[in-house]
């Protein structure tokens, strides 16, 4: 009972609320364009952008030098790769190319994207299961917002940097989405932790398990809360990840995890 | 660069013009560096009322790249003396915008121009193959336009006459009095200063005394566009001249045109 209460407190602290799934993906995309001065010349970029797969319509604001695109919800922002090579360009690259072919210079691309915020080995990411893409995030001073929404569906507004496989979404604003979209949570009781280093190592081990979106470990409460994709992770794998890990100067089996049911 | 050289070579192999046919937001009598978007196709018809007749220039424009455009001009010409009419000499032109600096709300650009006119017009035409080249610069903004260019035409021999080569220089200013939204009509007022220096013509190798000279003109005009349609018009009014021998004073030229981008 004590553990159950602790888990509930931990869940409340981490803000891992559950709710209905929201529509994921790019909900809006605005590109700032340098060189836009006359409507007649802007026609070329209109024509090019309307041919971009995923773009449904657009509105050109010449005075502000920007073009607002209405895109299909299932349009991938980043490119798809096969065997380590980029197989198809993502929406961001296609839009950038269209603007260039229209005779102008794309300067900044601002997007609103919905997905699930997670932390991986490479850092913060926005995972959009509906389109099967993972968008790397640069927290840009919004770490608190990302942490608060970790493991949850959230809407991120930011600017895109880089091209092809190196696209990064520089976070400008994090807004709470409509909940976790049915993600599973697992609480673990963990013994053997003596410092924050232990907690970090265990968190890393848990997040390396395929299907895990995020993990939080509290060394004082001897607890871990793990967010996973529904039906993708057998809880026993979480236990194995902790029970089988070693740390320098500590024998194997130092850490013992139990599932809190 | 390689693409442009290829186009230039092709132009040379296949096929006048001083290139004074306007494209998009460009001077009506001078040159400008604007090009068409990549793979873009445009059609333009321009009526030019000139001394001793008029010409209807039908142009097909194509954007090879965002900074390289080619144009085919097939004019229909009517001359008062002698009273003939029909298709005139075909002109092929190319334009390479070799420098473009885009900034918020505007663009700076420099372009090279090259063209050739073939003696396809038959009777009434000069019957010569002429080469044309030039360089143009522009600064375009939401309110103001500035243009400048230098251009030349090397005229070949035709019908035992070699017309004098032409060197021209132009500057132009444009003003957009009302900054409208994208799908609204957009008006730009233009005023140009056009200078033209023409060498003496030669007939069977003998210089023609009453030919050539220097003419300076002022040319007010307008460009009115509605999305991918543009209507344009202007007058070229000679304000000063120094002509060789005995020649009639240069006359006012009038041009009206419509351009459509597909």
């Amino acid at each position: 009972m004590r553990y159950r209460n602790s888990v509930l407190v931990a869940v409340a602290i981490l803000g891992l609320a559950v709710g209905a799934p929201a529509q994921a993906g790019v909900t809006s995309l605005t590109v700032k364009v340098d060189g836009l001065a006359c409507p007649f010349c802007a026609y070329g970029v209109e024509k090019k952008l309307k041919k971009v797969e995923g773009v449904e319509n657009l509105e050109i604001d010449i005075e502000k030098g920007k073009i607002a695109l209405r895109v299909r919800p299932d349009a991938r922002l980043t490119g798809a790769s096969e065997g380590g090579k980029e197989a198809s360009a993502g929406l961001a690259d296609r839009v950038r190319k269209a603007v260039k072919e229209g005779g102008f210079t794309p300067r900044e691309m601002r997007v609103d994207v919905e997905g699930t915020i997670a932390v991986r080995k490479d850092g913060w990411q926005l995972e959009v299961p509906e389109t099967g893409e993972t968008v790397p995030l640069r927290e840009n001073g919004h770490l608190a917002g990302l942490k608060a929404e970790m493991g949850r569906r959230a809407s991120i507004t930011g600017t895109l940097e880089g091209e092809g496989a190196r696209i990064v979404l520089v976070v400008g604003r994090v807004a709470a989405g409509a909940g976790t979209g049915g993600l599973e949570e697992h609480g673990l009781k963990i013994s053997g932790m003596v410092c924050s280093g232990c907690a970090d190592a265990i968190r890393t081990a848990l997040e390396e398990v395929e299907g895990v979106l995020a993990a939080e470990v509290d060394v004082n409460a001897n607890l871990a809360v793990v967010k996973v994709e529904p039906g993708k992770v057998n809880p026993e794998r979480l236990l194995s990840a902790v029970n089988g890990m070693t740390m320098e100067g500590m024998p194997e089996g130092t850490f013992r995890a139990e599932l809190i049911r | 660069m390689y693409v442009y050289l290829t186009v230039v070579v092709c132009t040379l192999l296949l096929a006048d013009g001083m290139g004074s046919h306007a494209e998009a937001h460009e001077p009506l009598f001078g040159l400008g560096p604007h090009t068409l978007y990549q793979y873009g196709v445009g059609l333009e018809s321009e009526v030019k009322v000139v001394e001793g007749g008029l010409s209807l220039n039908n142009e097909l424009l194509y954007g090879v790249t965002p900074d390289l455009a080619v144009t085919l001009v097939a004019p229909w010409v009517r001359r008062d003396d002698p009273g003939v009419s029909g298709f005139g000499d075909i002109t092929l032109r190319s334009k390479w915008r070799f420098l473009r600096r885009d900034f918020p709300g505007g663009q700076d650009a420099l372009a090279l121009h090259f063209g050739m006119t073939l003696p396809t017009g038959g009777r009434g035409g000069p019957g010569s193959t002429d080469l044309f080249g030039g360089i143009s610069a522009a600064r375009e903004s939401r309110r103001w336009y500035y243009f400048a260019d230098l251009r030349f035409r090397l005229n070949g021999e035709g019908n035992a006459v070699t017309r004098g080569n032409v060197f021209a220089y132009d500057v132009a200013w444009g003003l957009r009095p009302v900054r409208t939204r994208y799908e609204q009509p957009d008006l730009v007022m233009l005023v140009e200063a056009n200078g033209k220096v023409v060498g003496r013509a030669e007939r069977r190798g003998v210089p023609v005394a009453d030919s050539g000279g220097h003419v300076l003109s002022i040319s007010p005009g307008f460009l009115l566009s509605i999305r991918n349609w543009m209507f344009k018009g202007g007058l070229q009014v000679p304000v000063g001249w120094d002509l060789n021998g005995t020649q009639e004073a240069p006359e006012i030229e009038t041009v009206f045109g419509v351009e459509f981008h597909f």
Side-chain angles (χ1 to χ4, degrees), chain A residues 35 37 46 48 63 101 105, chain B residues 25 38 102-103 142 182 227:
Chain A
E46 177 198 334
K48 288 289 177 188
E63 200 61 35
E101 288 181 352
T105 304
Chain B
H25 279 105
Q38 187 168 22
D102 291 336
F103 54 88
R142 286 289 291 145
Y182 174 56
R227 204 152 164 258

Side-chain angles (χ1 to χ4, degrees), chain A residues 33-48 50 60 62-63 100-105 107, chain B residues 24-25 37-39 66 100 102-107 140 142 145 176 179 182 186 227-230 261-262:
Chain A
V33 177
D34 282 353
L36 270 185
C38 83
F40 191 64
C41 303
Y43 174 74
V45 78
E46 177 198 334
K47 181 151 181 156
K48 288 289 177 188
K50 279 187 171 174
I60 297 178
I62 291 197
E63 200 61 35
K100 288 177 181 172
E101 288 181 352
F104 299 96
T105 304
R107 181 158 53 95
Chain B
H25 279 105
Y37 55 93
Q38 187 168 22
Y39 310 138
R100 194 184 90 209
D102 291 336
F103 54 88
Q107 188 179 80
E140 177 184 4
R142 286 289 291 145
Y145 286 82
R176 176 177 283 112
R179 294 189 289 191
Y182 174 56
D186 177 57
R227 204 152 164 258
N228 52 333
W229 285 92
M230 178 172 280
H261 289 177
F262 289 92

Side-chain angles (χ1 to χ4, degrees), chain A residues 22-40:
Chain A
Q23 183 188 47
V26 182
T27 55
S28 79
L29 194 157
T30 302
V31 56
K32 285 191 177 176
V33 177
D34 282 353
L36 270 185
C38 83
F40 191 64

Side-chain angles (χ1 to χ4, degrees), chain B residues 10-71:
Chain B
C10 289
T11 306
L12 276 168
L13 291 172
L14 290 168
D16 148 78
M18 288 294 285
S20 58
H21 310 288
E23 287 174 27
H25 279 105
E26 294 194 335
L28 290 154
F29 300 95
L31 292 177
H34 286 171
T35 53
L36 202 58
Y37 55 93
Q38 187 168 22
Y39 310 138
V41 176
L43 278 179
E44 182 176 0
S45 260
E46 195 177 89
V47 178
K48 202 168 190 176
V49 182
V50 297
E51 190 177 341
L54 64 83
S55 66
L56 174 65
N57 294 319
N58 303 298
E59 304 189 13
L60 176 64
L61 308 102
Y62 181 70
V64 181
T65 74
D67 296 309
L68 175 61
V70 291
T71 307

